[in-house]
């Protein structure tokens, strides 16, 4: 299992790095998809099959598809790739790389620290699979408030999307008379 | 122990071989059935009753020039047809065929199928983009919007079944149907899933991503040889997967009197596949905006209603 974890984790890190450095947007998104799949494998290994499945359905299968959809719609062509390549100069990398390095050091310290592993924060040993049922009971029990807040947010997003996507001549008969009809 | 492992390997390889053979054979069956329903003969020259037509087609595809257009994005162009085949074949892995026959039992089986269905979208979208031609591009765009939309109702329509069975595990769902098939209490969910399944596999009448009257061949316009063949086989494997899911989730899986379980599963699967073909023979293709508004304005409210009613009834009966 450790070997499987290491392979999946290595794939995740590598593909994320590739997703950041590709100058072709669609290629970058494809690497991001592979990275998400690798993270799903890690979730699965650590006994969270529901999280793994949702990772693929929601992130890889819906959100990134929308990203790909938009990138394809814009159909920017080779000029955009060139521009992206010009933007990816080494001096732009310094800030993000330093911040990421801080996180990496922190993670390494946590992983090597015995007390964290003993507290069950990390470590594959002794993990047991979390049933979908348990997740649901938790979500609609102690975490009900968070679920409701998320549903507020989603509803607001939905109303906003409807407002933006609405055609101006629809919904108000007064405007129709103003001659904005198609 | 080694006998167990051997049986497991035989199971996996046997199901894989059967899936691919059935999917390829479907091409012939579909053409013959279409011929029957449309008062014509269909392929009947190669071998007895034309059974070997598939072999002839396969040989033809293999020997065609495997051409990648110079204007295409080469890597993605080659990757795209592989994705659909891999995703659909993997999705079939969780379908339980009979007690003891099946590749893997996952406790999130349904979600695994939905995940694979959502990954299959990439194949069509990327094929459309990588081909770098306008017909393929339009087909890819249509496919992306259509498949993302119908995934929503596909998932929602299955939640009624999950409530009744109390599990995402497909074997547990089949076991829960020993007394009554879920098609009876979940008739609405059954129809929504069937429609969404046809749209997910972009079969006729929902084959707008490849509508030949408008888009030449849609997303696979630029494909030739075996890459085209992979899209084709992927579509038929998708048909088998959706039919297998309908049998497993709504038609009681392997349950049935007298005959052995495997035979029941195969019989039900064959009926579902024949209905798929009959729909193709009977229904015209809708307009694209009709397809999308039908989904969001009819299927989505219906599937939500189904979910609410099923949940309410389950709660009322429970307590």
């Amino acid at each position: 299992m450790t070997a499987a974890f290491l392979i999946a984790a290595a794939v995740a890190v590598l593909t994320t790095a590739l997703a950041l450095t590709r100058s072709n947007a669609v290629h970058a998104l494809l690497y991001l998809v592979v990275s998400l799949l690798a993270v799903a494998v890690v979730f699965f290994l650590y006994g969270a099959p529901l999280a793994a499945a949702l990772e693929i359905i929601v992130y890889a299968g819906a959100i990134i598809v929308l990203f790909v959809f938009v990138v394809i719609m814009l159909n920017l062509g080779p000029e955009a790739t060139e521009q992206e390549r010009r933007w990816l100069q080494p001096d732009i990398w310094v800030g993000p790389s330093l911040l990421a390095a801080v996180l990496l050091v922190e993670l390494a310290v946590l992983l090597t620290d015995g007390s964290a592993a003993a507290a069950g924060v990390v470590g594959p040993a002794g993990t047991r699979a979390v049933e979908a049922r348990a997740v649901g009971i938790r979500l609609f029990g102690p975490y009900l408030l968070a679920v409701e807040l998320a549903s507020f947010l989603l509803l607001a997003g939905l109303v906003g999307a409807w407002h933006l996507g609405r055609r101006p001549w629809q919904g108000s008969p007064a405007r129709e008379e103003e001659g904005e009809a198609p | 122990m080694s006998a167990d492992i051997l049986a497991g390997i035989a199971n996996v390889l046997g199901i894989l071989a059967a899936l691919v053979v059935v999917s390829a054979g479907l091409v012939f069956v579909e053409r013959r059935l279409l011929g029957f329903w449309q008062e014509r003969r269909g392929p009947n020259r190669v071998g007895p009753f034309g059974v070997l037509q598939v072999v002839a087609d396969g040989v033809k595809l293999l020997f065609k020039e495997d051409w990648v257009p110079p204007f295409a994005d080469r890597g993605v162009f080659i990757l795209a047809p592989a994705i659909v085949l891999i995703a659909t074949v993997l999705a079939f892995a969780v379908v339980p065929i009979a007690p003891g026959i099946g590749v893997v039992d996952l406790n999130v089986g349904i979600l695994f199928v939905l995940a694979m269905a959502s990954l299959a979208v990439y194949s069509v979208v990327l094929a459309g983009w990588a081909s770098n031609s306008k017909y393929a591009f339009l087909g890819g765009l249509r496919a992306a919007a259509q498949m993302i939309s119908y995934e929503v109702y596909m998932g929602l329509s299955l939640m009624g079944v999950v409530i009744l069975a109390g599990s995402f595990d497909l074997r547990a769902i089949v076991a829960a149907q020993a007394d009554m098939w879920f098609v009876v209490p979940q008739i609405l969910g059954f129809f929504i899933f069937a429609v969404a399944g046809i749209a997910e596999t972009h079969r006729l009448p929902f084959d707008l991503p490849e509508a030949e009257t408008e888009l030449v061949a849609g997303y696979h316009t630029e494909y030739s040889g075996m890459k085209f063949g992979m899209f084709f086989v992927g579509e038929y494997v998708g048909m088998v997967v959706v039919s297998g899911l309908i049998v497993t989730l709504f038609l009681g899986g392997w349950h049935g009197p007298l005959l052995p379980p495997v035979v029941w599963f195969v019989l039900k699967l064959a009926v579902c596949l024949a209905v798929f073909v009959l729909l193709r023979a009977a229904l015209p293709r809708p307009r694209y905006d009709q397809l999308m508004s039908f989904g969001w304005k009819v299927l989505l409210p219906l599937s939500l209603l189904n979910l609410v009613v099923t949940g309410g009834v389950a709660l009322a009966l429970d307590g």
Side-chain angles (χ1 to χ4, degrees), chain B residues 47-244:
Chain B
F49 306 105
V51 180
L52 296 180
Q53 182 67 42
V54 182
V55 181
D57 286 348
V59 169
K60 183 187 83 177
L61 281 177
L62 273 176
F63 281 93
K64 275 200 169 182
E65 184 185 359
D66 193 9
W67 189 62
V68 179
F71 45 81
D73 187 316
R74 198 180 163 82
V76 181
F77 188 85
I78 295 172
L79 180 71
I83 295 176
V84 67
L85 203 55
I86 293 171
T88 46
V89 167
L90 276 178
F92 196 78
V94 292
V95 175
I97 292 168
I101 304 181
V103 177
V104 65
D105 300 326
L106 278 180
N107 55 1
V108 287
I110 288 188
L111 295 178
F112 181 78
V113 172
L114 292 177
M116 289 305 127
S118 57
L119 286 185
V121 181
Y122 282 106
S123 172
V124 181
V125 177
L126 292 176
W129 176 75
S131 298
N132 208 358
S133 89
K134 59 185 94 141
Y135 294 118
F137 178 69
L138 286 171
L141 286 184
R142 280 186 179 184
Q146 170 181 336
M147 289 172 82
I148 294 179
S149 308
Y150 278 76
E151 242 164 52
V152 175
Y153 337 126
M154 195 173 185
L156 278 176
S157 66
L158 292 181
M159 289 309 126
V161 170
V162 174
I163 290 174
L164 290 181
S167 174
F168 284 124
D169 187 347
L170 290 167
R171 263 184 206 280
I173 290 170
V174 174
Q177 296 177 79
D179 300 324
M180 182 170 58
W181 294 0
F182 281 160
V183 68
V184 181
Q186 283 295 313
I187 184 79
L188 200 55
F190 170 71
F191 280 116
I192 295 169
F193 181 76
V195 172
I198 299 167
E200 274 296 298
T201 50
H202 37 87
R203 290 271 311 162
L204 275 150
F206 296 146
D207 69 335
L208 288 135
E210 46 192 300
E212 61 266 37
T213 46
E214 318 149 43
L215 295 182
V216 188
Y219 63 90
H220 56 57
T221 305
E222 303 294 338
Y223 281 85
S224 63
M226 217 47 217
K227 291 200 197 73
F228 168 76
M230 278 166 88
F231 277 122
F232 216 64
V233 175
E235 186 175 315
Y236 283 92
V237 174
M239 256 171 90
V240 178
V241 170
V242 170
S243 303

Side-chain angles (χ1 to χ4, degrees), chain B residues 190 193-194 241-253 272 276:
Chain B
F190 170 71
F193 181 76
V241 170
V242 170
S243 303
L245 283 174
I246 289 176
V247 170
T248 310
L249 297 167
F250 295 102
L251 302 180
C272 282
F276 251 93

